[in-house]
PDB file of all heavy atoms in Angstrom:
ATOM      1  N   ARG E 460     -49.174  -0.615  61.551  1.00 90.00           N
ATOM      2  CA  ARG E 460     -48.073  -0.566  62.514  1.00 90.00           C
ATOM      3  C   ARG E 460     -46.740  -0.283  61.834  1.00 90.00           C
ATOM      4  O   ARG E 460     -45.693  -0.405  62.445  1.00 90.00           O
ATOM      5  CB  ARG E 460     -47.964  -1.915  63.253  1.00 90.00           C
ATOM      6  CG  ARG E 460     -49.264  -2.369  63.878  1.00 90.00           C
ATOM      7  CD  ARG E 460     -49.352  -1.902  65.320  1.00 90.00           C
ATOM      8  NE  ARG E 460     -50.572  -2.402  65.926  1.00 90.00           N
ATOM      9  CZ  ARG E 460     -50.652  -3.575  66.563  1.00 90.00           C
ATOM     10  NH1 ARG E 460     -49.606  -4.349  66.644  1.00 90.00           N
ATOM     11  NH2 ARG E 460     -51.795  -3.960  67.112  1.00 90.00           N
ATOM     12  N   GLY E 461     -46.763  -0.044  60.569  1.00 90.00           N
ATOM     13  CA  GLY E 461     -45.516   0.269  59.860  1.00 90.00           C
ATOM     14  C   GLY E 461     -44.611  -0.930  59.659  1.00 90.00           C
ATOM     15  O   GLY E 461     -43.392  -0.795  59.627  1.00 90.00           O
ATOM     16  N   LYS E 463     -44.277  -2.717  56.972  1.00 90.00           N
ATOM     17  CA  LYS E 463     -43.783  -2.684  55.588  1.00 90.00           C
ATOM     18  C   LYS E 463     -44.065  -3.971  54.798  1.00 90.00           C
ATOM     19  O   LYS E 463     -43.552  -4.145  53.693  1.00 90.00           O
ATOM     20  CB  LYS E 463     -42.270  -2.403  55.528  1.00 90.00           C
ATOM     21  CG  LYS E 463     -41.886  -1.081  56.142  1.00 90.00           C
ATOM     22  CD  LYS E 463     -40.409  -0.826  55.924  1.00 90.00           C
ATOM     23  CE  LYS E 463     -39.941   0.383  56.719  1.00 90.00           C
ATOM     24  NZ  LYS E 463     -38.496   0.534  56.690  1.00 90.00           N
ATOM     25  N   TYR E 475     -45.828   3.275  49.732  1.00 90.00           N
ATOM     26  CA  TYR E 475     -44.559   3.734  50.309  1.00 90.00           C
ATOM     27  C   TYR E 475     -44.801   4.103  51.765  1.00 90.00           C
ATOM     28  O   TYR E 475     -45.952   4.179  52.219  1.00 90.00           O
ATOM     29  CB  TYR E 475     -44.010   4.920  49.510  1.00 90.00           C
ATOM     30  CG  TYR E 475     -44.899   6.143  49.509  1.00 90.00           C
ATOM     31  CD1 TYR E 475     -44.650   7.218  50.374  1.00 90.00           C
ATOM     32  CD2 TYR E 475     -45.999   6.236  48.663  1.00 90.00           C
ATOM     33  CE1 TYR E 475     -45.474   8.342  50.373  1.00 90.00           C
ATOM     34  CE2 TYR E 475     -46.826   7.349  48.661  1.00 90.00           C
ATOM     35  CZ  TYR E 475     -46.559   8.400  49.514  1.00 90.00           C
ATOM     36  OH  TYR E 475     -47.374   9.492  49.525  1.00 90.00           O
ATOM     37  N   MET E 476     -43.713   4.310  52.485  1.00 91.00           N
ATOM     38  CA  MET E 476     -43.836   4.621  53.910  1.00 91.00           C
ATOM     39  C   MET E 476     -43.748   6.135  54.119  1.00 91.00           C
ATOM     40  O   MET E 476     -42.875   6.804  53.562  1.00 91.00           O
ATOM     41  CB  MET E 476     -42.714   3.948  54.716  1.00 91.00           C
ATOM     42  CG  MET E 476     -42.750   2.432  54.688  1.00 91.00           C
ATOM     43  SD  MET E 476     -44.296   1.722  55.280  1.00 91.00           S
ATOM     44  CE  MET E 476     -44.221   2.136  57.035  1.00 91.00           C
ATOM     45  N   GLU E 477     -44.669   6.647  54.884  1.00 89.00           N
ATOM     46  CA  GLU E 477     -44.569   8.033  55.307  1.00 89.00           C
ATOM     47  C   GLU E 477     -44.443   7.966  56.827  1.00 89.00           C
ATOM     48  O   GLU E 477     -45.436   7.699  57.514  1.00 89.00           O
ATOM     49  CB  GLU E 477     -45.809   8.811  54.868  1.00 89.00           C
ATOM     50  CG  GLU E 477     -45.510  10.216  54.362  1.00 89.00           C
ATOM     51  CD  GLU E 477     -46.747  10.842  53.732  1.00 89.00           C
ATOM     52  OE1 GLU E 477     -47.664  11.174  54.485  1.00 89.00           O
ATOM     53  OE2 GLU E 477     -46.786  10.953  52.498  1.00 89.00           O
ATOM     54  N   GLY E 478     -43.250   8.147  57.322  1.00 87.00           N
ATOM     55  CA  GLY E 478     -43.013   7.896  58.738  1.00 87.00           C
ATOM     56  C   GLY E 478     -43.273   6.422  59.006  1.00 87.00           C
ATOM     57  O   GLY E 478     -42.680   5.567  58.371  1.00 87.00           O
ATOM     58  N   LYS E 479     -44.199   6.137  59.895  1.00 88.00           N
ATOM     59  CA  LYS E 479     -44.485   4.731  60.202  1.00 88.00           C
ATOM     60  C   LYS E 479     -45.818   4.275  59.606  1.00 88.00           C
ATOM     61  O   LYS E 479     -46.415   3.313  60.072  1.00 88.00           O
ATOM     62  CB  LYS E 479     -44.479   4.524  61.726  1.00 88.00           C
ATOM     63  CG  LYS E 479     -43.079   4.584  62.304  1.00 88.00           C
ATOM     64  CD  LYS E 479     -43.010   3.931  63.663  1.00 88.00           C
ATOM     65  CE  LYS E 479     -41.580   3.604  64.030  1.00 88.00           C
ATOM     66  NZ  LYS E 479     -41.471   3.025  65.361  1.00 88.00           N
ATOM     67  N   LEU E 480     -46.248   4.982  58.592  1.00 91.00           N
ATOM     68  CA  LEU E 480     -47.535   4.649  57.976  1.00 91.00           C
ATOM     69  C   LEU E 480     -47.370   4.281  56.498  1.00 91.00           C
ATOM     70  O   LEU E 480     -46.629   4.932  55.774  1.00 91.00           O
ATOM     71  CB  LEU E 480     -48.480   5.852  58.043  1.00 91.00           C
ATOM     72  CG  LEU E 480     -49.323   6.034  59.300  1.00 91.00           C
ATOM     73  CD1 LEU E 480     -50.250   7.224  59.118  1.00 91.00           C
ATOM     74  CD2 LEU E 480     -50.127   4.783  59.625  1.00 91.00           C
ATOM     75  N   ALA E 481     -48.079   3.249  56.100  1.00 91.00           N
ATOM     76  CA  ALA E 481     -48.093   2.906  54.684  1.00 91.00           C
ATOM     77  C   ALA E 481     -49.051   3.847  53.956  1.00 91.00           C
ATOM     78  O   ALA E 481     -50.140   4.123  54.447  1.00 91.00           O
ATOM     79  CB  ALA E 481     -48.531   1.461  54.496  1.00 91.00           C
ATOM     80  N   VAL E 482     -48.592   4.342  52.797  1.00 91.00           N
ATOM     81  CA  VAL E 482     -49.426   5.263  52.021  1.00 91.00           C
ATOM     82  C   VAL E 482     -49.524   4.745  50.589  1.00 91.00           C
ATOM     83  O   VAL E 482     -48.563   4.200  50.044  1.00 91.00           O
ATOM     84  CB  VAL E 482     -48.812   6.691  52.022  1.00 91.00           C
ATOM     85  CG1 VAL E 482     -49.707   7.656  51.252  1.00 91.00           C
ATOM     86  CG2 VAL E 482     -48.598   7.177  53.440  1.00 91.00           C
TER      87      VAL E 482
END
Side-chain angles (χ1 to χ4, degrees):
Chain E
R460 307 267 183 90
K463 300 185 189 171
Y475 62 99
M476 296 303 291
E477 220 171 71
K479 288 199 162 178
L480 273 184
V482 182

